[in-house]
Amino acid sequence: MPRFSVIVPVFKVQGFLRECLDSVLGQSYTDIEVIAVDDCSPDGCGAILDEYAARDPRLRVLHLPQNVGLGRARNAGMPYATGDFLLFLDSDDTLTPGALRAIADRLEETADPDVLVFDYARTYWWGGTRRNVLAQVLAEGGDGCFTAAEHPEILDLLMVVWNKVYRRAFVGREGFTFPPGYYEDTPWTFPVMLSADRIATLDRICLNYRQRRQGNILSTTSRKHFDIHDQYERVFAFVDSRPHLSSWRPYLHRKMGEHCLDILTKPDRLPASDKDEFFRRTAALFRKHQGGGPVPLELRVLQGGYVAYLARRQSGRLGAELGRRRLQVRKAAATRVKSGWSAVHERRPLDPDLAVYSAFSHRGVLGDPGAIYHAARELAPHIRGVWVVRGDQVPLLPPGVEYVLPDSLGHRRVTARATYLINNVNWPGTQVKREGSVHVHTHQGTPLKYMGADLLDKPGARHGFDVPQMLRRADRWDYSLVANHHSELVWDRAYPCHFTSLRTGSPRNDVLVRARPEHGAAVRARLGIPADHRVVLYAPTRRDYVRGGLVDRIDLARFADDLGEGHTLLVRLHPSLKDGPSRGMGLSELHRRGVVLDATDEPHVEDLMLASDVLVTDYSALMFDYANLDRPIVIHADDWGAYAASRGAYFDITADAPGHVTGSYRELARLFASGSWRDQESARLRAGFRARFCAFDDGRAAERVVRTLMLGERFESPVPVAVMPAQAGHDALTSS
């Protein structure tokens, strides 16, 4: 008996069906059966199903003699199911890689609940992806099981059949089936969720819910949307047949009203001539099932007529428009006030003892600017340091840090008068470069991928970037900090602007150069990593050849398992991926289960480097910083050709690598299993890489910046170097 029976109703989806079937039959978890129900589809779906069934005995095809609709097609497949759990997959949707393995592991962990609810992402026809906005409800479900009464928020999720798996014995015992008509999920999902004694959640995106440009049933204008009334009648009949569920009637009554009004407001659901009738039927159903409780404010329109409903809708639209205009007026007034303040302060002299800092688009005291700030507080305490920080990052600031919010009056005031402006991202276009001010750009590491003007030949990589505007902002730089000759030459080419290169080294790397064993031990203790574990830091970067930037190059669960006992796999996604669907593709769930440690939210990446024994990365600039630790680095470059072609690279990292290079997961696993990731060849490659890219890092970079630029002292470069041509002037740290 298989673990899963995947039931797939099929109708007029020949363009998507192969992708759907491949996503199921290609899962790493193979203990499944697939029951595909050809709902008398008039296109080529039946032939496609037969083709797949001939190749894979796990697929069984039912050809219905006539079209019965989505719900009844699912019903037709259920009697043939023999698996422990049922999963209903629509034939234009797909399972994500590793989904069934993650579901199976969670079922085992929770001792086979009646229902397991998992997460999904909407994938749009134009290429975008958006995670379920209520994903936190799944995380809040906890590690064990619950009932709907114990965690009612679970019912706030989209009430569909395909974001859950169901214990087949539970479904059979309760006699659940799908009714005919549109919205057939409604009288299935509510009874199932209210009846289940044990519900569990899986905070992982297991399904891609395709948003088709056309052909979606619910986006078809038709009177069939009137079916929603019959479906809720079925829900109330179910509750009435089970007295112990009567307390749910007020909740279901409200849900019914909200659902029907939502259908009414959608422009593509109902024919215009039928909207009056739909409203009247909804109002009648609402009155029929109304108890004695108060009616929510937003549903009181159902107590009046359709004309009153339209009037209120129009009033709401007018109110929203007036509110929008008032907001525009307030913003314009605020802009005038801020401009006035800026003009006043720009007429005042610069404050020689004021420095303004920002890092990573105002994310806090981080990176090179953070290291310079701390050095200035020690070496030049008379210089007041103020940070520009986003509001959501303020609670994370260290005690005693003075800050202003972006685009506030305080922000404009300090940037107008500051002598020193230090950033690793370009300041906004509104930032005025005053004569006498010193703009220091620290960058965000040594460049491997194309940057700045070099992106002009890479249209895909520069999508969304205004390169000329970027260069106009870079025209304000006075100094560009570099850690090696390679960076100096690249920045000189990528940013053809008027700045002077300072061979200071990277201030944020000072802590790595000066690292002692106890520093890493302290970070491990804070992260809960056993002191005797070998820590593998995996830090993949984003890709420009896919929308969203995420490409799963490694099965993290498999990698952690192959590393074996005594290892901790520490994962840090690229910062640009932390808030998208990337972590929901499995990382969050693996972290919860203790399979890996997700450190994407750790603000100081230097701490993660200190805590680790080896770095595994693809093309992340982190490798250049990590080399300062003189610890092994492995480059996993299984898509180097695609990456280099789409983004552009200044050199071939597979030929000039800081350690061993792997081109497949098998090679990566073998490298660690054999121990050769830290052999003499690895050390030889790393030594050459360090000599080339860590030449100026000597642990005193931040001090060098403060003494040279803020205190006006003479401070030697970390290594004797000849003067290199620059766009404007020479290296201030070497003799002319």
Side-chain angles (χ1 to χ4, degrees):
M1 183 168 62
R3 188 62 164 158
F4 296 111
S5 293
V6 183
I7 298 175
V8 185
V10 179
F11 183 73
K12 294 179 67 173
V13 288
Q14 63 180 4
F16 308 111
L17 183 55
R18 292 181 185 275
E19 186 179 358
C20 172
L21 295 175
D22 289 342
S23 78
V24 179
L25 298 173
Q27 289 279 315
S28 60
Y29 188 89
T30 59
D31 189 15
I32 64 172
E33 64 178 5
V34 181
I35 302 164
V37 184
D38 173 13
D39 192 15
C40 201
S41 185
D43 56 7
C45 286
I48 293 172
L49 292 175
D50 291 339
E51 172 194 332
Y52 272 75
R55 294 202 309 258
D56 196 320
R58 295 175 299 169
L59 173 61
R60 178 172 186 170
V61 181
L62 304 179
H63 294 284
L64 301 184
Q66 61 184 13
N67 178 256
V68 297
L70 186 57
R72 287 182 171 177
R74 291 173 182 149
N75 291 341
M78 278 198 281
Y80 296 93
T82 62
D84 296 329
F85 283 85
L86 301 175
L87 189 156
F88 299 96
L89 178 65
D90 288 353
S91 49
D92 56 350
D93 296 338
T94 57
L95 296 181
T96 60
L100 291 183
R101 166 56 66 186
I103 293 171
D105 289 345
R106 183 65 174 137
L107 290 174
E108 181 179 1
E109 183 182 30
T110 53
D112 286 4
D114 295 327
V115 182
L116 173 68
V117 188
F118 52 79
D119 202 10
Y120 66 92
R122 296 175 186 266
T123 57
Y124 295 89
W125 62 268
W126 42 264
T129 300
R130 182 168 64 87
R131 188 179 185 182
N132 167 27
V133 295
L134 294 178
Q136 77 277 1
V137 172
L138 298 172
E140 293 164 358
D143 293 338
C145 294
F146 54 86
T147 64
E150 292 167 339
H151 187 42
E153 294 81 6
I154 197 69
L155 299 180
D156 291 334
L157 296 174
L158 192 62
M159 284 289 101
V160 290
V161 65
W162 42 255
N163 64 347
K164 308 169 184 71
V165 294
Y166 312 86
R167 190 164 57 84
R168 187 167 61 89
F170 162 67
V171 171
R173 184 191 73 211
E174 297 291 337
F176 294 127
T177 59
F178 292 92
Y182 278 16
Y183 305 100
E184 77 292 334
D185 289 18
T186 299
W188 166 280
T189 307
F190 279 121
V192 164
M193 296 298 286
L194 298 181
S195 301
D197 292 325
R198 302 179 67 248
I199 302 171
T201 58
L202 173 60
D203 182 19
R204 185 194 192 278
I205 297 173
C206 295
L207 182 140
N208 285 323
Y209 175 32
R210 189 187 301 273
Q211 306 294 287
R212 292 157 65 179
R213 187 169 183 266
Q214 58 184 7
N216 187 306
I217 291 177
L218 293 184
S219 295
T220 302
T221 303
S222 168
R223 280 186 61 87
K224 290 184 178 181
H225 293 284
F226 280 77
D227 290 349
I228 189 65
H229 302 122
D230 289 338
Q231 306 297 21
Y232 271 102
E233 286 284 24
R234 293 184 174 100
V235 173
F236 285 114
F238 177 84
V239 171
D240 290 343
S241 69
R242 289 163 171 76
H244 66 282
L245 297 179
S246 61
S247 61
W248 286 102
R249 284 189 61 89
Y251 172 85
L252 294 171
H253 181 252
R254 177 173 60 83
K255 278 290 185 182
M256 181 269 293
E258 292 172 349
H259 196 169
C260 291
L261 286 178
D262 181 64
I263 294 170
L264 186 61
T265 59
K266 292 288 193 299
D268 56 355
R269 299 284 176 93
L270 294 162
S273 59
D274 293 325
K275 290 189 174 184
D276 185 358
E277 180 186 352
F278 185 90
F279 178 86
R280 286 187 281 105
R281 285 201 190 182
T282 298
L285 186 66
F286 191 76
R287 290 191 298 270
K288 176 181 177 181
H289 293 287
Q290 185 174 349
V295 176
L297 180 63
E298 66 274 14
L299 296 179
R300 291 179 187 174
V301 292
L302 291 171
Q303 294 178 316
Y306 185 60
V307 174
Y309 163 76
L310 291 178
R312 176 160 310 182
R313 288 268 299 166
Q314 182 64 20
S315 174
R317 283 193 289 265
L318 289 174
E321 177 62 19
L322 288 173
R324 186 183 66 83
R325 292 183 180 180
R326 283 195 294 269
L327 182 60
Q328 288 179 331
V329 170
R330 285 198 296 269
K331 285 184 176 180
T335 299
R336 287 194 295 272
V337 171
K338 291 173 182 177
S339 299
W341 272 92
S342 297
V344 169
H345 284 277
E346 286 167 11
R347 288 195 295 268
R348 300 176 64 186
L350 294 176
D351 184 343
D353 295 331
L354 177 60
V356 176
Y357 300 85
S358 180
F360 302 107
S361 300
H362 315 316
R363 281 176 41 216
V365 184
L366 303 168
D368 291 308
I372 296 170
Y373 167 76
H374 289 300
R377 294 188 70 174
E378 178 182 350
L379 300 173
H382 62 285
I383 294 180
R384 174 188 169 205
V386 181
W387 281 85
V388 183
V389 181
R390 293 187 335 222
D392 61 326
Q393 298 298 313
V394 169
L396 305 179
L397 289 176
V401 172
E402 185 178 354
Y403 69 90
V404 292
L405 298 177
D407 204 33
S408 64
L409 289 176
H411 175 201
R412 291 173 178 255
R413 184 165 53 245
V414 295
T415 54
R417 298 208 58 208
T419 294
Y420 310 101
L421 293 102
I422 301 168
N423 202 342
N424 65 0
V425 177
N426 262 323
W427 293 102
T430 55
Q431 177 68 53
V432 176
K433 174 70 167 74
R434 294 190 64 187
E435 185 178 355
S437 63
V438 178
H439 283 240
V440 181
H441 193 76
T442 71
H443 304 281
Q444 296 182 36
T446 294
L448 170 64
K449 61 187 179 184
Y450 275 9
M451 303 291 287
D454 289 329
L455 291 174
L456 290 171
D457 291 329
K458 296 293 179 181
R462 76 168 190 268
H463 180 71
F465 288 97
D466 184 341
V467 174
Q469 174 66 9
M470 183 191 305
L471 297 181
R472 284 192 290 271
R473 294 178 180 183
D475 280 332
R476 296 174 299 199
W477 302 352
D478 292 295
Y479 297 102
S480 166
L481 306 190
V482 297
N484 47 64
H485 293 292
H486 164 78
S487 295
E488 182 171 16
L489 295 174
V490 166
W491 299 140
D492 201 50
R493 160 184 163 153
Y495 295 98
C497 306
H498 297 280
F499 58 81
T500 297
S501 291
L502 291 186
R503 295 170 180 161
T504 57
S506 297
R508 69 184 181 284
N509 287 344
D510 289 346
V511 65
L512 303 179
V513 177
R514 299 196 302 259
R516 300 177 62 86
E518 57 267 25
H519 296 153
V523 177
R524 289 186 182 209
R526 179 173 64 80
L527 296 176
I529 300 174
D532 60 342
H533 270 214
R534 177 170 290 139
V535 179
V536 179
L537 173 59
Y538 175 53
T541 194
R542 65 177 291 116
R543 303 301 198 273
D544 292 291
Y545 61 79
V546 294
R547 186 182 293 272
L550 173 69
V551 176
D552 288 322
R553 309 311 307 176
I554 293 178
D555 183 333
L556 295 177
R558 180 180 179 186
F559 189 31
D561 185 58
D562 287 343
L563 288 172
E565 294 292 330
H567 289 78
T568 292
L569 180 56
L570 192 63
V571 181
R572 181 179 179 85
L573 296 181
H574 189 276
S576 66
L577 301 175
K578 64 179 296 185
D579 296 323
S582 310
R583 294 160 86 176
M585 296 299 287
L587 181 55
S588 295
E589 175 64 9
L590 293 175
H591 174 81
R592 185 195 66 80
R593 291 170 47 205
V595 176
V596 305
L597 201 162
D598 178 11
T600 304
D601 287 331
E602 279 292 317
H604 299 285
V605 69
E606 298 84 7
D607 285 351
L608 304 181
M609 291 190 274
L610 290 170
S612 65
D613 297 295
V614 53
L615 170 68
V616 177
T617 187
D618 35 38
Y619 323 116
S620 171
L622 204 65
M623 70 178 84
F624 299 99
D625 304 328
Y626 196 85
N628 282 287
L629 291 170
D630 197 19
R631 298 175 189 174
I633 301 172
V634 175
I635 301 298
H636 186 60
D638 63 343
D639 66 339
W640 170 247
Y643 182 87
S646 60
R647 176 70 195 213
Y650 291 111
F651 65 94
D652 185 351
I653 190 62
T654 65
D656 296 309
H660 288 294
V661 178
T662 58
S664 68
Y665 178 76
R666 184 177 181 181
E667 292 178 8
L668 179 66
R670 186 186 300 124
L671 189 73
F672 276 89
S674 66
S676 54
W677 57 275
R678 54 175 178 168
D679 61 11
Q680 290 186 350
E681 177 64 7
S682 170
R684 184 189 70 79
L685 292 169
R686 186 167 67 253
F689 193 83
R690 290 183 67 218
R692 181 178 178 188
F693 296 109
C694 302
F696 303 163
D697 282 328
D698 64 350
R700 303 182 70 185
E703 177 187 2
R704 190 170 288 111
V705 173
V706 173
R707 291 193 182 280
T708 302
L709 298 183
M710 294 181 173
L711 298 178
E713 299 177 2
R714 192 70 184 169
F715 202 76
E716 292 300 321
S717 291
V719 294
V721 292
V723 176
M724 302 291 292
Q727 293 292 330
H730 60 276
D731 190 331
L733 301 182
T734 59
S735 61
S736 58

